[in-house]
Amino acid sequence: MDGKEGRRTQPSVRAAGLLLGLVLLVAAIALSLAVGTKQIPLGEVWSGLFAPSGTENDAIIRDLRLPRTLIGIAVGAALGIAGGVMQTLTRNPLADPGLLGVNAGASAAVITAISVLGITSFTGYLWFALAGAAVAATTVNALGGGRLATPVRLALAGTAINAALFGYVNGLQLWNLSALDAMRHWSVGTLAKRDPQLLLTVLPLLVAGALLAFALARPLGALALGEDHAKALGTQVRRTRVLSVLSITLLCGGATAVCGPIGFIGLMIPHAARAFAGPDPRRLLPYCAVLAPVLLLVSDVIGRVVVPPSEIEVDIVTSFLGGILFIHLVRQRKVAQL
């Protein structure tokens, strides 16, 4: 670490960065509640939340935008933490739950449950989402070379799995036209028209996955130095890997079950967080938990306003932004040499 990077990760800078992230999160929440097809002044947003009088704006805020915003906060934090864990675990700056097929695996499993097995209840297909995320994560890691995996091999394996699952989903849509509407619900990630009860059901899984990730921060930091160094520091490498995959599965599977697949959040946010927190996951993961909801909520607001009165799903917006970042990363010499 050079002097400049060391200064960037001093405690005062880290604290200031986290405070700035919290301010941005509050601003993003305000935007999410106020901006949409109908613009609502912030004063009316406040009264609609804490002193409702039964107006149309109150109904829009409390029944539509507040649940959408809360879901965005929870799902964004889950995807951001999962991305931080995945990049640290694999030592791969290109790792992302969407890029490595985890979100696609969860979505494909849910669509299978809906189309083939006729399962329509959320509690029924939630477990399919978790299983699909776990199978996809394991498959990509195996195809990428397991312990010998490199960032490029993992990216290629994830791309292959994503393509295969995308073809599988399209095939199901052609085969079962009667389930097309229900399947379209999961083909593109969105925060719109999501039942807040879904969040309440999946929230324990998201919290468990996040707490597990934070508990693993220290051994993950040791593992990022290499297996030999981690073992020398007393880290149980196999246990850390298994529990990390479990954390990623809970976070990504639960988030996908609520909103469908949302890509690139887990890719972009850890890169932004490292500018303030450095590479240590004990400091990186709290930043990811704060900044990821900011990006998701702002992307959702952008999707609401660019083509009024229609909306663009948030996954399309984040994929566009993430694609730009991905191109930038693969052009960097240090990434190409990994």
Side-chain angles (χ1 to χ4, degrees):
M1 179 183 294
D2 59 23
K4 182 178 179 181
E5 186 177 354
R7 288 194 301 270
R8 272 196 264 175
T9 57
Q10 289 300 313
S12 59
V13 176
R14 291 196 298 268
L18 194 57
L19 179 60
L20 175 61
L22 291 172
V23 171
L24 291 175
L25 179 58
V26 172
I29 292 172
L31 278 176
S32 181
L33 293 173
V35 177
T37 303
K38 182 176 183 180
Q39 313 297 324
I40 300 177
L42 288 178
E44 294 188 29
V45 170
W46 182 266
S47 62
L49 289 174
F50 300 105
S53 56
T55 64
E56 179 185 358
N57 286 348
D58 290 346
I60 292 174
I61 293 168
R62 297 176 68 88
D63 298 336
L64 298 177
R65 293 186 183 173
L66 180 59
R68 182 170 183 167
T69 301
L70 294 176
I71 290 173
I73 294 171
V75 169
L79 294 176
I81 294 171
V85 172
M86 186 172 287
Q87 290 186 14
T88 304
L89 177 67
T90 62
R91 288 180 288 171
N92 179 3
L94 305 181
D96 164 75
L99 185 64
L100 297 187
V102 179
N103 289 347
S107 183
V110 169
I111 291 174
T112 300
I114 293 173
S115 176
V116 179
L117 302 178
I119 296 175
T120 57
S121 67
F122 176 75
T123 54
Y125 56 66
L126 170 61
W127 303 110
F128 282 86
L130 296 174
V135 170
T138 303
T139 302
V140 169
N141 184 65
L143 291 177
R147 294 183 179 181
L148 301 178
T150 64
V152 173
R153 291 181 65 178
L154 284 171
L156 290 175
T159 300
I161 292 298
N162 271 321
L165 292 176
F166 181 74
Y168 170 75
V169 168
N170 282 342
L172 280 183
Q173 289 177 337
L174 294 175
W175 172 67
N176 191 347
L177 295 178
S178 62
L180 183 60
D181 287 339
M183 292 160 62
R184 189 184 300 125
H185 179 80
W186 297 103
S187 60
V188 179
T190 180
L191 301 180
K193 300 179 181 178
R194 292 304 195 247
D195 187 347
Q197 185 62 39
L198 302 183
L199 177 60
L200 294 178
T201 303
V202 80
L203 189 60
L205 298 178
L206 299 182
V207 171
L211 292 177
L212 182 57
F214 286 119
L216 292 170
R218 183 182 292 274
L220 275 173
L223 190 58
L225 300 175
E227 288 194 12
D228 292 338
H229 286 85
K231 291 177 181 178
L233 293 172
T235 300
Q236 300 182 36
V237 173
R238 180 176 178 82
R239 177 176 176 269
T240 300
R241 287 184 181 275
V242 171
L243 292 179
S244 295
V245 171
L246 175 60
S247 172
I248 293 168
T249 299
L250 291 172
L251 293 168
C252 295
T256 302
V258 176
C259 296
I262 299 176
F264 287 102
I265 295 289
L267 173 66
M268 292 185 281
I269 290 303
H271 284 277
R274 286 190 192 96
F276 295 96
D280 190 338
R282 290 175 295 178
R283 304 182 181 98
L284 178 68
L285 295 182
Y287 270 87
C288 291
V290 172
L291 295 179
V294 175
L295 177 59
L296 186 58
L297 290 177
V298 171
S299 298
D300 186 47
V301 171
I302 292 173
R304 299 182 207 176
V305 301
V306 291
V307 287
S310 300
E311 292 188 8
I312 296 177
E313 287 81 358
V314 69
D315 177 57
I316 296 176
V317 179
T318 59
S319 295
F320 175 78
L321 298 175
I324 296 174
L325 177 63
F326 184 77
I327 292 172
H328 170 70
L329 290 176
V330 298
R331 286 174 60 88
Q332 288 183 338
R333 181 180 302 177
K334 65 180 181 179
V335 174
Q337 291 176 344
L338 287 175

